Amino acid sequence: GAVVSQHPSWVICKSGTSVKIECRSLDFQATTMFWYRQFPKQSLMLMATSNEGSKATYEQGVEKDKFLINHASLTLSTLTVTSAHPEDSSFYICSARDPAGAYEQYFGPGTRLTVT
Amino acid sequence: SQQGEEDPQALSIQEGENATMNCSYKTSINNLQWYRQNSGRGLVHLILIRSNEREKHSGRLRVTLDTSKKSSSLLITASRAADTASYFCVPGNQFYFGTGTSLTVIP
């Protein structure tokens, strides 16, 4: 099946710094990728849809200036958490659809962000 | 947009027993998907069932879809401890997740 990777798998940063998370589709080209965040014992919340070559579409309530998304190539999307605060600590997961497949999403393993 | 509503929220069974979880949704769909998430991990796509299918099997998984009732069920037969995870249904070509069913299989 299609494989999506994320890097890093976990990161600890200090308040006020920025953190970049990468999401890669390893064996297919993804024109669209999705970014989610998940708090402990809660479900996934869609943050934004990342479109290759164009601006991301953010869900209501998600600050686009705080969560910068760049989808510069068909295999890479990045999420940058700018000026991170402790409340940004969460589990961030990306996913992508294989255009050659049906409608299933392939998820990365997630990135655990802790802001101290 | 819509998300599925899984029921029950939590389920605890003994290893070897069958586990059944249900999903309800609100609007018409052309397919429905089930995903599994192990604790602290990404999600894994389990199975997709199309609106013209009533039942689908994949290994120990059996999924049903009743479009007239806007509901689906996921049956895991002969459960194993490794099946312990949260299970989510996603109706249609959506990207929104409900709260899922947390399944615990006791060895």
Side-chain angles (χ1 to χ4, degrees), chain A residues 35-94:
Chain A
W35 287 97
Y36 296 84
R37 66 187 297 182
Q38 185 177 35
F39 293 106
K41 299 191 186 303
Q42 294 188 24
S43 187
L44 282 76
M45 184 193 82
L46 179 66
M47 298 174 67
T49 302
S50 169
N51 304 296
E52 187 269 335
S54 65
K55 292 183 179 179
T57 303
Y58 290 82
E59 293 297 302
Q60 193 171 9
V62 178
E63 299 175 60
K64 56 185 70 175
D65 293 332
K66 180 164 186 63
F67 299 100
L68 300 179
I69 291 173
N70 185 286
H71 194 153
S73 77
L74 288 172
T75 59
L76 173 64
S77 174
T78 60
L79 168 67
T80 301
V81 182
T82 63
S83 187
H85 290 281
E87 55 265 32
D88 298 325
S89 298
S90 188
F91 191 54
Y92 292 87
I93 310 174
C94 71

Side-chain angles (χ1 to χ4, degrees), chain A residues 34 36 38 42-44 46 49 59 91 93 95 97 102-110 112, chain B residues 30-31 33 35 37 40-45 48 50 88 92-100:
Chain A
F34 308 92
Y36 296 84
Q38 185 177 35
Q42 294 188 24
S43 187
L44 282 76
L46 179 66
T49 302
E59 293 297 302
F91 191 54
I93 310 174
S95 73
R97 276 183 174 166
Y103 302 104
E104 57 267 53
Q105 293 185 62
Y106 297 96
F107 285 82
R112 175 78 56 194
Chain B
N30 53 13
N31 69 80
Q33 303 164 59
Y35 291 84
Q37 183 182 31
R41 306 292 297 273
L43 280 73
V44 173
H45 181 264
L48 180 151
R50 299 184 189 278
F88 300 91
N93 305 330
Q94 298 295 327
F95 314 102
Y96 303 98
F97 288 77
T99 54

Side-chain angles (χ1 to χ4, degrees), chain B residues 1-88:
Chain B
S1 62
Q2 67 172 328
Q3 62 189 45
E5 293 183 19
E6 296 88 356
D7 176 72
Q9 287 191 338
L11 180 60
S12 184
I13 59 173
Q14 295 290 132
E15 200 166 34
E17 294 180 339
N18 295 342
T20 299
M21 50 206 89
N22 303 295
C23 168
S24 61
Y25 56 93
K26 292 188 169 63
T27 62
S28 296
I29 57 173
N30 53 13
N31 69 80
L32 184 140
Q33 303 164 59
W34 284 90
Y35 291 84
R36 182 188 75 225
Q37 183 182 31
N38 292 87
S39 181
R41 306 292 297 273
L43 280 73
V44 173
H45 181 264
L46 294 177
I47 197 165
L48 180 151
I49 185 166
R50 299 184 189 278
S51 58
N52 60 354
E53 300 174 304
R54 294 189 63 81
E55 190 172 308
K56 196 166 183 179
H57 297 253
S58 177
R60 293 183 296 112
L61 305 181
R62 175 181 154 238
V63 168
T64 64
L65 179 63
D66 187 334
T67 54
S68 65
K69 294 181 179 178
K70 293 186 172 56
S71 67
S72 174
S73 69
L74 171 66
L75 168 67
I76 303 174
T77 60
S79 64
R80 305 167 182 168
D83 295 328
T84 295
S86 291
Y87 292 81
F88 300 91

